[in-house]
Amino acid sequence: MSVWSAILLAALICLGLKAVGYLVPPKVLEAPRPARISDLLTVALLAALVAVQTLGAGQSIVVDARVPALLVAAGLLWLRQSFLVVVVAAAAVAALLRLFGLAT
């Protein structure tokens, strides 16, 4: 199977799943349990994305300036700082660590 065949198959499967989603009655989706599951699933997927983007480099795990930047961002979010402050502070931490050669 070529790469383009696999991509086309995946696209068709995604389109099919989306079409099936329209067939589910709204009453089922508004029940407390599915609503809670969808909320938790969103958080879990976002956490996984952050972990992969922070620690991943191809097929290996890399600990570099992104890890301390993520810790600073998490701390500032815990302190309920604005998103702009969180992003600027995390970027500054990563930049300074790279500038001084403390992280790659």
Side-chain angles (χ1 to χ4, degrees):
M1 178 184 286
S2 72
V3 173
W4 288 109
S5 298
I7 291 172
L8 183 60
L9 180 63
L12 289 173
I13 290 171
C14 288
L15 183 65
L17 285 172
K18 186 169 182 139
V20 168
Y22 286 115
L23 300 175
V24 176
K27 180 181 172 185
V28 173
L29 297 176
E30 292 169 356
R33 188 174 189 145
R36 178 86 173 133
I37 289 171
S38 68
D39 288 344
L40 292 175
L41 187 61
T42 303
V43 172
L45 288 173
L46 182 58
L49 176 65
V50 168
V52 167
Q53 291 297 314
T54 301
L55 298 172
Q59 296 290 327
S60 61
I61 294 175
V62 176
V63 178
D64 58 6
R66 295 176 289 181
V67 175
L70 179 65
L71 294 174
V72 167
L76 289 173
L77 285 172
W78 184 67
L79 294 172
R80 299 208 182 264
Q81 296 297 314
S82 70
F83 185 70
L84 183 60
V85 170
V86 171
V87 170
V88 169
V93 166
L96 289 172
L97 287 173
R98 288 181 176 139
L99 177 69
F100 294 121
L102 299 173
T104 56

